Amino acid sequence: MERRAGGERGKTMRQLVLCNDESAGGEGFDRAEVIPLHGGAEEPRPARGMRRAGWLLVACGLALLPWLYVLATGLPATATAAHWPVAWVGLDALEALGLIATGLLAARGDRRRALAAAATATLLVVDAWFDTTTAAPGGDFASAVALALGAELPLAALCGRLALRALSRPV
């Protein structure tokens, strides 16, 4: 049931009243428990442009599925990259920037940390994936796995948790 909260215009408060069987007949109503519901109103429906963008992204993701088969069956087992060091330094630089930005925003209590944290978590998972899948067998692979399990994936989990917590808090 909805009631006006404190006479404030435009604001409503929803409450749930729980009563035992005795109070159903009117006796013992003073023992009823009032529990405010903080669920709030339903999410507003996204604008038409946003819905279209969402469905476009779904279509693009589905279109990539056959391309995965082409890549899996057509790529060579080994390859040489001309700018290998630049690629790795760039990735790690983006991770450092993401960790610093996420940390500063989290320390300030800024809700925008959710964006930085989500991007940083993604970069860290991608780095762990490529480190382990491109490492040479033996010591290089063992180092890549140790770095992934000891640093990159735990940091990614922390960033993911920060992002989810920031998004789940009421404004």
Side-chain angles (χ1 to χ4, degrees), residues 8-170:
E8 291 182 43
R9 187 176 202 161
K11 292 187 178 182
T12 60
M13 180 173 73
R14 298 180 345 167
Q15 295 179 339
L16 174 65
V17 179
L18 297 178
C19 306
N20 59 19
D21 290 333
E22 295 176 21
S23 65
E27 301 175 24
F29 189 70
D30 58 336
R31 286 189 265 163
E33 183 179 351
V34 177
I35 303 170
L37 299 176
H38 298 289
E42 291 183 21
E43 290 286 327
R45 186 171 179 179
R48 184 171 29 174
M50 184 64 71
R51 288 194 310 270
R52 284 183 181 165
W55 286 115
L56 176 66
L57 292 173
V58 169
C60 289
L62 291 172
L64 278 175
L65 296 179
W67 178 244
L68 294 176
Y69 176 77
V70 171
L71 289 176
T73 58
L75 285 174
T78 60
T80 302
H83 303 287
W84 193 248
V86 174
W88 286 111
V89 169
L91 179 59
D92 287 348
L94 287 172
E95 289 172 12
L97 181 65
L99 289 169
I100 292 167
T102 301
L104 289 173
L105 292 169
R108 291 178 39 201
D110 192 322
R111 289 177 50 91
R112 291 175 292 178
R113 71 184 176 271
L115 300 171
T120 304
T122 302
L123 287 169
L124 288 163
V125 170
V126 167
D127 191 14
W129 174 263
F130 282 107
D131 281 345
T132 55
T133 58
T134 61
D140 286 343
F141 180 73
S143 296
V145 169
L147 185 61
L149 295 176
E152 293 162 340
L153 295 177
L155 283 171
L158 174 62
C159 287
R161 184 169 184 233
L162 281 172
L164 290 174
R165 288 187 70 196
L167 293 175
S168 66
R169 297 238 192 270

